[in-house]
Amino acid sequence: VEGLGLFDAGLLVGEPVVVPLPLNMAALRAQPATVPHLLRHLARVSTRSTAGSGTALMGRLAGLGQKERERLLLEVVREQVAVVLGHAGAEAVEADRAFKELGFDSLTAVSLRNQLNGVTGLELPATLVFDHPTARDVAALIQDSLAPVDTDGSRQLMTEVDRLEAALAAVSPAGDGRARITTRLETLLRRWNAAEPDVETAEDEADLSAASDEELFDLLDSELGTS
């Protein structure tokens, strides 16, 4: 009956080509990043709906350590893979199993890329699942793309300092351990300052590297008291 009704409706439209296509408009609007451009005027997807997604993810990542960031991003990727493949949840997606083995094809590969673009605010390549064949690989790519590499460990250390600051704020001013904590912190600070390079020494070394032989001899005579 439904087929005959659609056939009659198609005859009345007057268009040369008609495609009877059932659409779940609510589902389309709920996942704007995956809606094909051909259908966006039907789903009325607003570009604003995806604009804040990357910001929201960055907010969740803020203050997390390296390992925690990796876990969160891996979970985000697994969630989006589950959505694209129609699984109930991220637990159905193995982090180290190849996308090809999970059942990906070219269409679902592009869908995942679009989905992750919307969630992260990034512009990931169309060849994402081929260049990065597992959920863990994709999470690592997103991790590198969202934040600069912490080459000297300062970002991670600042995270730990923030945690220490929060922990200190919770210590009672009249607590018995306050004096011990203060002593330990002062010791750590002295060691930290002692390890800092002497700026004046570094500048002197730089000056010496540009000095002529005659200037070096004069300096040595002056230091040794032979001039």
Side-chain angles (χ1 to χ4, degrees):
V1 175
E2 183 179 2
L4 290 174
L6 290 171
F7 183 78
D8 292 338
L11 292 176
L12 295 174
V13 170
E15 296 291 339
V17 178
V18 179
V19 179
L21 181 65
L23 295 175
N24 186 332
M25 308 308 293
L28 288 176
R29 295 190 183 99
Q31 302 291 341
T34 63
V35 178
H37 287 282
L38 185 63
L39 301 179
R40 292 201 170 193
H41 69 288
L42 296 175
R44 296 181 181 177
V45 176
S46 172
T47 54
R48 294 182 181 180
S49 59
T50 60
S53 299
T55 303
L57 178 60
M58 291 301 294
R60 294 174 62 189
L61 291 170
L64 297 183
Q66 178 75 12
K67 294 299 182 182
E68 293 169 317
R69 288 171 64 92
E70 290 175 358
R71 281 195 293 269
L72 175 57
L73 288 173
L74 179 57
E75 187 67 13
V76 168
V77 173
R78 292 175 66 205
E79 288 173 353
Q80 301 312 314
V81 171
V83 169
V84 170
L85 295 180
H87 295 312
E91 61 277 2
V93 179
E94 298 178 39
D96 296 304
R97 190 175 181 185
F99 289 125
K100 185 177 181 179
E101 296 178 4
L102 292 173
F104 268 82
D105 56 22
S106 58
L107 180 60
T108 48
V110 173
S111 295
L112 178 62
R113 187 280 306 265
N114 293 341
Q115 191 83 353
L116 289 172
N117 280 351
V119 171
T120 63
L122 298 172
E123 299 232 353
L124 299 170
T127 56
L128 176 69
V129 303
F130 304 106
D131 297 335
H132 308 275
T134 69
R136 194 180 303 278
D137 292 331
V138 171
L141 172 66
I142 294 174
Q143 162 82 347
D144 293 340
S145 302
L146 286 176
V149 178
D150 188 14
T151 54
D152 61 355
S154 59
R155 184 182 297 274
Q156 176 66 21
L157 183 57
M158 284 302 300
T159 299
E160 298 302 326
V161 171
D162 290 340
R163 290 180 179 176
L164 176 60
E165 183 178 8
L168 290 173
V171 176
S172 171
D176 295 336
R178 188 177 182 86
R180 293 198 303 273
I181 294 172
T182 300
T183 300
R184 181 69 182 278
L185 289 174
E186 290 174 344
T187 301
L188 288 175
L189 184 59
R190 283 196 298 271
R191 290 177 180 174
W192 172 261
N193 289 334
E196 185 176 3
D198 188 343
V199 177
E200 292 184 0
T201 300
E203 290 177 350
D204 290 342
E205 291 176 351
D207 292 339
L208 289 177
S209 65
S212 64
D213 291 343
E214 185 177 350
E215 289 172 335
L216 286 174
F217 288 138
D218 289 341
L219 177 62
L220 286 172
D221 288 340
S222 176
E223 291 293 330
L224 295 174
T226 59
S227 58

